[in-house]
PDB file of all heavy atoms in Angstrom:
ATOM      1  N   LEU A 185      96.581 176.041  73.413  1.00  0.00           N
ATOM      2  CA  LEU A 185      95.219 176.159  72.940  1.00  0.00           C
ATOM      3  C   LEU A 185      95.286 175.891  71.422  1.00  0.00           C
ATOM      4  O   LEU A 185      95.775 176.725  70.706  1.00  0.00           O
ATOM      5  CB  LEU A 185      94.606 177.552  73.248  1.00  0.00           C
ATOM      6  CG  LEU A 185      93.207 177.696  72.810  1.00  0.00           C
ATOM      7  CD1 LEU A 185      92.296 176.797  73.643  1.00  0.00           C
ATOM      8  CD2 LEU A 185      92.758 179.185  72.997  1.00  0.00           C
ATOM      9  N   ASP A 186      94.692 174.822  70.951  1.00  0.00           N
ATOM     10  CA  ASP A 186      94.576 174.355  69.588  1.00  0.00           C
ATOM     11  C   ASP A 186      93.095 174.234  69.227  1.00  0.00           C
ATOM     12  O   ASP A 186      92.428 173.374  69.753  1.00  0.00           O
ATOM     13  CB  ASP A 186      95.291 173.087  69.338  1.00  0.00           C
ATOM     14  CG  ASP A 186      96.772 173.217  69.631  1.00  0.00           C
ATOM     15  OD1 ASP A 186      97.343 174.316  69.390  1.00  0.00           O
ATOM     16  OD2 ASP A 186      97.424 172.149  69.962  1.00  0.00           O
ATOM     17  N   ASP A 187      92.684 175.096  68.254  1.00  0.00           N
ATOM     18  CA  ASP A 187      91.339 175.076  67.727  1.00  0.00           C
ATOM     19  C   ASP A 187      90.315 175.124  68.852  1.00  0.00           C
ATOM     20  O   ASP A 187      89.337 174.348  68.924  1.00  0.00           O
ATOM     21  CB  ASP A 187      91.115 173.769  66.910  1.00  0.00           C
ATOM     22  CG  ASP A 187      91.960 173.724  65.653  1.00  0.00           C
ATOM     23  OD1 ASP A 187      92.294 174.831  65.176  1.00  0.00           O
ATOM     24  OD2 ASP A 187      92.254 172.676  65.208  1.00  0.00           O
ATOM     25  N   GLY A 188      90.538 175.978  69.835  1.00  0.00           N
ATOM     26  CA  GLY A 188      89.633 176.136  70.981  1.00  0.00           C
ATOM     27  C   GLY A 188      89.726 175.130  71.995  1.00  0.00           C
ATOM     28  O   GLY A 188      88.947 175.171  73.011  1.00  0.00           O
ATOM     29  N   VAL A 189      90.733 174.137  71.971  1.00  0.00           N
ATOM     30  CA  VAL A 189      90.896 173.181  73.042  1.00  0.00           C
ATOM     31  C   VAL A 189      92.062 173.600  73.873  1.00  0.00           C
ATOM     32  O   VAL A 189      93.255 173.595  73.427  1.00  0.00           O
ATOM     33  CB  VAL A 189      91.073 171.745  72.431  1.00  0.00           C
ATOM     34  CG1 VAL A 189      91.301 170.738  73.509  1.00  0.00           C
ATOM     35  CG2 VAL A 189      89.901 171.403  71.530  1.00  0.00           C
ATOM     36  N   PHE A 190      91.825 173.930  75.176  1.00  0.00           N
ATOM     37  CA  PHE A 190      92.862 174.266  76.123  1.00  0.00           C
ATOM     38  C   PHE A 190      93.405 173.034  76.796  1.00  0.00           C
ATOM     39  O   PHE A 190      92.566 172.151  77.254  1.00  0.00           O
ATOM     40  CB  PHE A 190      92.401 175.275  77.069  1.00  0.00           C
ATOM     41  CG  PHE A 190      93.247 175.439  78.276  1.00  0.00           C
ATOM     42  CD1 PHE A 190      94.449 176.177  78.206  1.00  0.00           C
ATOM     43  CD2 PHE A 190      92.931 174.981  79.567  1.00  0.00           C
ATOM     44  CE1 PHE A 190      95.289 176.347  79.190  1.00  0.00           C
ATOM     45  CE2 PHE A 190      93.796 175.141  80.628  1.00  0.00           C
ATOM     46  CZ  PHE A 190      94.955 175.868  80.447  1.00  0.00           C
ATOM     47  N   THR A 191      94.777 172.789  76.803  1.00  0.00           N
ATOM     48  CA  THR A 191      95.345 171.628  77.428  1.00  0.00           C
ATOM     49  C   THR A 191      96.489 172.060  78.381  1.00  0.00           C
ATOM     50  O   THR A 191      97.298 172.927  77.977  1.00  0.00           O
ATOM     51  CB  THR A 191      95.941 170.686  76.374  1.00  0.00           C
ATOM     52  OG1 THR A 191      94.884 170.287  75.472  1.00  0.00           O
ATOM     53  CG2 THR A 191      96.493 169.423  77.039  1.00  0.00           C
ATOM     54  N   TYR A 192      96.492 171.480  79.580  1.00  0.00           N
ATOM     55  CA  TYR A 192      97.536 171.804  80.519  1.00  0.00           C
ATOM     56  C   TYR A 192      97.979 170.486  81.050  1.00  0.00           C
ATOM     57  O   TYR A 192      97.178 169.670  81.743  1.00  0.00           O
ATOM     58  CB  TYR A 192      97.109 172.682  81.651  1.00  0.00           C
ATOM     59  CG  TYR A 192      98.172 173.354  82.481  1.00  0.00           C
ATOM     60  CD1 TYR A 192      98.344 174.720  82.380  1.00  0.00           C
ATOM     61  CD2 TYR A 192      99.026 172.637  83.306  1.00  0.00           C
ATOM     62  CE1 TYR A 192      99.468 175.321  83.098  1.00  0.00           C
ATOM     63  CE2 TYR A 192     100.066 173.213  83.955  1.00  0.00           C
ATOM     64  CZ  TYR A 192     100.302 174.503  83.875  1.00  0.00           C
ATOM     65  OH  TYR A 192     101.276 175.196  84.643  1.00  0.00           O
ATOM     66  N   ARG A 193      99.337 170.174  80.945  1.00  0.00           N
ATOM     67  CA  ARG A 193      99.957 168.916  81.399  1.00  0.00           C
ATOM     68  C   ARG A 193     100.820 169.297  82.624  1.00  0.00           C
ATOM     69  O   ARG A 193     101.552 170.265  82.572  1.00  0.00           O
ATOM     70  CB  ARG A 193     100.824 168.253  80.332  1.00  0.00           C
ATOM     71  CG  ARG A 193     100.050 167.798  79.037  1.00  0.00           C
ATOM     72  CD  ARG A 193     100.944 167.065  78.190  1.00  0.00           C
ATOM     73  NE  ARG A 193     100.139 166.721  76.895  1.00  0.00           N
ATOM     74  CZ  ARG A 193      99.482 165.576  76.786  1.00  0.00           C
ATOM     75  NH1 ARG A 193      99.349 164.754  77.854  1.00  0.00           N
ATOM     76  NH2 ARG A 193      98.820 165.376  75.606  1.00  0.00           N
ATOM     77  N   SER A 194     100.734 168.383  83.640  1.00  0.00           N
ATOM     78  CA  SER A 194     101.383 168.701  84.841  1.00  0.00           C
ATOM     79  C   SER A 194     102.925 168.593  84.737  1.00  0.00           C
ATOM     80  O   SER A 194     103.432 167.887  83.959  1.00  0.00           O
ATOM     81  CB  SER A 194     100.972 167.635  85.916  1.00  0.00           C
ATOM     82  OG  SER A 194     101.356 166.369  85.449  1.00  0.00           O
ATOM     83  N   GLY A 195     103.562 169.515  85.555  1.00  0.00           N
ATOM     84  CA  GLY A 195     105.028 169.556  85.486  1.00  0.00           C
ATOM     85  C   GLY A 195     105.492 168.792  86.794  1.00  0.00           C
ATOM     86  O   GLY A 195     106.757 168.650  86.986  1.00  0.00           O
ATOM     87  N   PHE A 196     104.585 168.256  87.618  1.00  0.00           N
ATOM     88  CA  PHE A 196     104.943 167.555  88.813  1.00  0.00           C
ATOM     89  C   PHE A 196     103.770 166.679  89.190  1.00  0.00           C
ATOM     90  O   PHE A 196     102.620 166.844  88.644  1.00  0.00           O
ATOM     91  CB  PHE A 196     105.271 168.476  89.971  1.00  0.00           C
ATOM     92  CG  PHE A 196     104.096 169.190  90.475  1.00  0.00           C
ATOM     93  CD1 PHE A 196     103.336 168.800  91.644  1.00  0.00           C
ATOM     94  CD2 PHE A 196     103.672 170.363  89.812  1.00  0.00           C
ATOM     95  CE1 PHE A 196     102.326 169.456  92.061  1.00  0.00           C
ATOM     96  CE2 PHE A 196     102.552 171.071  90.239  1.00  0.00           C
ATOM     97  CZ  PHE A 196     101.778 170.579  91.421  1.00  0.00           C
ATOM     98  N   ASP A 197     103.982 165.601  90.062  1.00  0.00           N
ATOM     99  CA  ASP A 197     102.902 164.738  90.500  1.00  0.00           C
ATOM    100  C   ASP A 197     102.305 165.192  91.785  1.00  0.00           C
ATOM    101  O   ASP A 197     103.053 165.694  92.612  1.00  0.00           O
ATOM    102  CB  ASP A 197     103.484 163.269  90.703  1.00  0.00           C
ATOM    103  CG  ASP A 197     103.914 162.745  89.286  1.00  0.00           C
ATOM    104  OD1 ASP A 197     103.489 163.159  88.258  1.00  0.00           O
ATOM    105  OD2 ASP A 197     104.704 161.724  89.366  1.00  0.00           O
ATOM    106  N   LEU A 198     100.986 165.112  91.810  1.00  0.00           N
ATOM    107  CA  LEU A 198     100.270 165.391  93.067  1.00  0.00           C
ATOM    108  C   LEU A 198     100.491 164.390  94.139  1.00  0.00           C
ATOM    109  O   LEU A 198     100.376 163.115  93.750  1.00  0.00           O
ATOM    110  CB  LEU A 198      98.778 165.648  92.807  1.00  0.00           C
ATOM    111  CG  LEU A 198      98.396 166.939  92.091  1.00  0.00           C
ATOM    112  CD1 LEU A 198      96.863 166.916  91.814  1.00  0.00           C
ATOM    113  CD2 LEU A 198      98.794 168.181  92.894  1.00  0.00           C
ATOM    114  N   ALA A 199     100.787 164.746  95.318  1.00  0.00           N
ATOM    115  CA  ALA A 199     100.906 163.725  96.466  1.00  0.00           C
ATOM    116  C   ALA A 199      99.567 163.234  96.846  1.00  0.00           C
ATOM    117  O   ALA A 199      98.512 163.939  96.543  1.00  0.00           O
ATOM    118  CB  ALA A 199     101.629 164.405  97.588  1.00  0.00           C
ATOM    119  N   PRO A 200      99.460 162.098  97.524  1.00  0.00           N
ATOM    120  CA  PRO A 200      98.066 161.631  97.979  1.00  0.00           C
ATOM    121  C   PRO A 200      97.371 162.653  98.788  1.00  0.00           C
ATOM    122  O   PRO A 200      97.997 163.115  99.768  1.00  0.00           O
ATOM    123  CB  PRO A 200      98.442 160.370  98.710  1.00  0.00           C
ATOM    124  CG  PRO A 200      99.765 159.956  98.202  1.00  0.00           C
ATOM    125  CD  PRO A 200     100.505 161.137  97.871  1.00  0.00           C
ATOM    126  N   GLY A 201      96.177 163.028  98.408  1.00  0.00           N
ATOM    127  CA  GLY A 201      95.300 163.952  99.158  1.00  0.00           C
ATOM    128  C   GLY A 201      95.647 165.439  98.870  1.00  0.00           C
ATOM    129  O   GLY A 201      95.006 166.298  99.370  1.00  0.00           O
TER     130      GLY A 201
END
Side-chain angles (χ1 to χ4, degrees):
L185 181 67
D186 294 330
D187 297 330
V189 180
F190 168 70
T191 304
Y192 198 110
R193 297 183 183 276
S194 62
F196 69 98
D197 294 342
L198 287 175

